[in-house]
Amino acid sequence: MQKNVVVMAMSTLNDKNGELSQSKFSYEGSGKEAEEYYSQLEPCSRMILEKEGSLDHIIILATEATKVPRKFICQGEERRISAVDFYLERLEIKDMTKVRIIDLEEDAFTPAINETIDKIRKIWKMEHKKNNQCKLWIDTQGGFRNISLVMNAMMFLLKDGGIEVSGIYATKFNSDNKVQMVTDQTSTYKIFEFVSGINEFTRYGRGEQLVDYYDSVGATPPNTINTMKKIAESIQMCNMYEFDSELKELRKEVANNDVSQPSLINIFWNQIRNDYGPLLTEECTGLDVVEWFYKKKFYQQAITYIEAKLPQELIRKNVISYEISPNVLRKVKQKLGKENYEQDENTIVNMIAYECIAWGTIVNKKGVAKDSFDSTANLKNGRNTLYQNAKEIEVIPAKAKDQKYGELKIVFKENMEDQIMDMILLYKLLKRERNNFNHMSEKKDRADQETLGRVINLFIKVGKEVYQA
């Protein structure tokens, strides 16, 4: 059985010169003559009663002024009654167990929000135990000027708990009209869901709410929304290859976007562009992606991207050049068990890192950071003794698990040798942290969030210096 729950904010009575004004209302699909009403909250409630068959739970947010009895004349009869009681009388509500009156203060409405949400959740739980299905209806007609913000906050909090609003209504009052129409404001309020979805995506990399918005209005999400959702999912799953693929797709959609067509998504293109920045350009580098992750504090994604993608970019940009026998490289990858899946460039950079860099972790076994990682001043201390002078590094042994298979010739970008070695050191440390994440290591040599953030930030700073050179 369906149970209808109505939430409203009560208005004071609208009387002129002591006499209550009378109006008529109707609604789309009414199929009958307009009905008279006196309380501003009557029309929406009567419509729900007539269309849905019952008013089972009525929650009234009431200020002190709406609860205090006052004198007025209605239909030639002198009355003394509060706005709340007058509404209940007009709706012929005699069973007060259906009614919950919640105190509302204009300057302190948080307690009312909490109490309303709590009551709705209890109603939902109670009715579901009886195998009844509930529908929630919101009447935004009454209350003070900011009541729409209060209602909106409640709707979002309820949605997080799995309670969706079935309809949001108000009376579109115009004194020049003989009949006032009840209007459905649901689609208007859903704009807030869209805005919230955009903010959720740009801040936290989650796309579900955007898709939910389009589902709720019965529309097909545009390709851009689906692409953004896929990007969000790839971020959550740390799938950096899918992230790159979907980012290319979003780049195309932004370039082809027709902002002349009126639509919600066009309103937020600037926000999307500002959020993604250089990631939407063809000149986007892997370092730009890492910086984007870093700014959002997606540290696990940042170090995953560094480990998986940056070695290939360093070699593609000729930051690091190398020469090695294909047979030797194959044997190294076989020994490491990575012949079938690791990129050659990753193997090369890893060989340099594990041969030239002495530091293996950001913090020592006592959990103390080996450096402040605010600058590169002390990073040379993390190099092996043979490789203190980066300009002299030309050949290193091609090794895997301490077994030598041949030689690896390397050339660092001229005049950037020390910076590149610093990048390789930071790469090695961040790769280790990435492994700690993946294997849920409980060792004490794991960096805390603040220290890890500093290391990522330093990697970005040094990388920018190398790239710009």
Side-chain angles (χ1 to χ4, degrees):
M1 185 180 294
Q2 178 180 311
K3 298 294 182 178
N4 296 294
V5 183
V6 182
V7 179
M8 65 187 70
M10 186 57 59
S11 286
T12 53
L13 294 169
N14 183 22
D15 61 302
K16 296 178 181 178
N17 301 319
E19 185 167 356
L20 206 61
S21 60
Q22 177 263 340
S23 296
K24 290 187 176 183
F25 81 93
S26 187
Y27 54 88
E28 188 176 345
S30 170
K32 60 179 182 179
E33 291 185 5
E35 302 175 61
E36 68 176 19
Y37 74 94
Y38 292 89
S39 168
Q40 291 183 49
L41 280 297
E42 276 185 64
C44 295
S45 295
R46 288 196 185 279
M47 183 196 72
I48 294 167
L49 178 61
E50 291 168 10
K51 292 179 72 173
E52 302 297 325
S54 65
L55 292 176
D56 304 285
H57 302 279
I58 301 172
I59 299 175
I60 301 173
L61 282 68
T63 60
E64 190 62 31
T66 65
K67 294 182 289 184
V68 175
R70 56 180 295 183
K71 282 185 180 181
F72 58 89
I73 296 172
C74 180
Q75 295 175 303
E77 179 186 351
E78 186 173 287
R79 304 292 310 277
R80 181 180 177 82
I81 191 171
S82 70
V84 171
D85 289 335
F86 185 66
Y87 161 82
L88 295 173
E89 179 185 287
R90 291 289 302 171
L91 268 292
E92 299 179 351
I93 305 295
K94 296 182 173 60
D95 182 0
M96 290 304 292
T97 61
K98 293 182 175 182
V99 182
R100 293 159 178 82
I101 298 171
I102 294 174
D103 295 336
L104 177 66
E105 295 183 29
E106 188 168 357
D107 297 327
F109 46 73
T110 303
I113 293 175
N114 290 334
E115 188 176 351
T116 304
I117 290 171
D118 184 58
K119 287 190 182 299
I120 292 172
R121 286 173 177 164
K122 285 179 178 177
I123 290 170
W124 238 252
K125 189 175 181 180
M126 176 188 71
E127 294 294 356
H128 277 254
K129 280 185 177 179
K130 300 175 182 177
N131 294 320
N132 293 325
Q133 297 298 314
C134 292
K135 281 191 173 183
L136 177 61
W137 310 94
I138 305 291
D139 183 348
T140 63
Q141 182 65 36
F144 47 76
R145 189 177 298 274
N146 294 331
I147 196 63
S148 60
L149 300 177
V150 176
M151 293 291 193
N152 201 46
M154 287 191 297
M155 284 186 278
F156 274 109
L157 291 168
L158 287 167
K159 184 175 181 178
D160 284 344
I163 299 175
E164 297 273 1
V165 176
S166 294
I168 304 165
Y169 299 104
T171 307
K172 190 175 182 179
F173 185 83
N174 186 329
S175 58
D176 294 331
N177 294 340
K178 293 182 178 180
V179 178
Q180 314 303 329
M181 297 298 294
V182 175
T183 60
D184 188 338
Q185 296 186 321
T186 311
S187 59
T188 303
Y189 269 78
K190 286 189 179 295
I191 292 175
F192 291 103
E193 289 187 21
F194 185 84
V195 174
S196 180
I198 289 285
N199 287 333
E200 179 188 59
F201 178 78
T202 54
R203 290 184 181 182
Y204 311 115
R206 296 180 63 87
E208 291 90 340
Q209 194 165 344
L210 284 170
V211 176
D212 287 349
Y213 162 78
Y214 281 95
D215 288 344
S216 69
V217 296
T220 302
N223 287 336
T224 302
I225 299 297
N226 289 325
T227 302
M228 291 169 70
K229 184 174 184 291
K230 289 177 183 177
I231 288 174
E233 289 169 351
S234 68
I235 291 170
Q236 293 163 38
M237 298 300 291
C238 280
N239 187 336
M240 298 299 104
Y241 294 94
E242 184 179 351
F243 175 84
D244 276 350
S245 174
E246 295 301 333
L247 186 59
K248 287 180 183 177
E249 186 62 30
L250 182 63
R251 207 173 284 149
K252 293 177 188 175
E253 291 171 9
V254 170
N256 297 327
N257 178 46
D258 181 9
V259 295
S260 66
Q261 298 300 315
S263 69
L264 272 178
I265 190 67
N266 284 340
I267 296 173
F268 299 101
W269 271 118
N270 284 336
Q271 186 168 347
I272 294 168
R273 287 190 177 97
N274 289 336
D275 178 61
Y276 279 84
L279 272 65
L280 296 177
T281 67
E282 293 297 332
E283 295 76 28
C284 171
T285 68
L287 203 62
D288 292 325
V289 174
V290 172
E291 185 172 26
W292 187 77
F293 283 138
Y294 167 75
K295 287 179 177 178
K296 291 180 177 295
K297 294 189 181 295
F298 295 164
Y299 290 170
Q300 183 175 359
Q301 288 79 0
I303 61 180
T304 299
Y305 200 92
I306 289 170
E307 188 276 336
K309 307 287 285 187
L310 265 292
Q312 298 152 55
E313 184 165 278
L314 292 175
I315 290 172
R316 188 175 67 248
K317 286 180 170 293
N318 295 319
V319 172
I320 301 172
S321 302
Y322 73 93
E323 186 178 325
I324 190 173
S325 162
N327 189 48
V328 169
L329 181 57
R330 180 177 56 80
K331 287 180 179 179
V332 169
K333 292 178 74 172
Q334 280 180 335
K335 182 68 174 178
L336 295 171
K338 298 180 178 181
E339 184 180 16
N340 296 323
Y341 68 90
E342 186 170 79
Q343 298 288 329
D344 290 350
E345 296 87 348
N346 292 59
T347 303
I348 296 298
V349 173
N350 281 320
M351 276 196 283
I352 299 171
Y354 285 90
E355 174 64 22
C356 300
I357 306 301
W359 286 354
T361 57
I362 294 172
V363 300
N364 61 27
K365 292 181 179 179
K366 294 181 179 180
V368 179
K370 293 179 177 178
D371 188 62
S372 67
F373 297 106
D374 292 322
S375 73
T376 60
N378 300 316
L379 294 190
K380 190 177 284 190
N381 297 333
R383 300 178 195 173
N384 277 321
T385 307
L386 291 174
Y387 306 105
Q388 288 289 307
N389 189 344
K391 291 180 182 293
E392 294 180 355
I393 302 173
E394 296 179 352
V395 179
I396 65 170
K399 295 193 307 187
K401 297 183 178 180
D402 295 326
Q403 184 172 342
K404 182 178 177 181
Y405 292 93
E407 291 184 337
L408 169 64
K409 294 181 181 179
I410 51 177
V411 178
F412 292 151
K413 190 173 185 177
E414 191 175 2
N415 298 323
M416 284 283 115
E417 293 88 350
D418 280 317
Q419 290 89 335
I420 294 168
M421 280 292 283
D422 290 339
M423 282 189 80
I424 291 172
L425 180 147
L426 295 167
Y427 164 83
K428 181 181 178 181
L429 301 183
L430 292 169
K431 178 184 169 82
R432 170 61 185 271
E433 285 299 319
R434 181 255 186 190
N435 292 338
N436 284 340
F437 268 114
N438 283 3
H439 300 297
M440 296 185 289
S441 172
E442 296 182 2
K443 293 181 179 179
K444 290 183 178 180
D445 60 355
R446 287 190 63 170
D448 59 28
Q449 184 178 16
E450 183 182 352
T451 306
L452 179 59
R454 288 203 301 272
V455 179
I456 297 171
N457 189 38
L458 188 57
F459 180 88
I460 295 166
K461 286 181 179 178
V462 180
K464 282 185 175 181
E465 187 177 347
V466 171
Y467 280 27
Q468 288 168 4

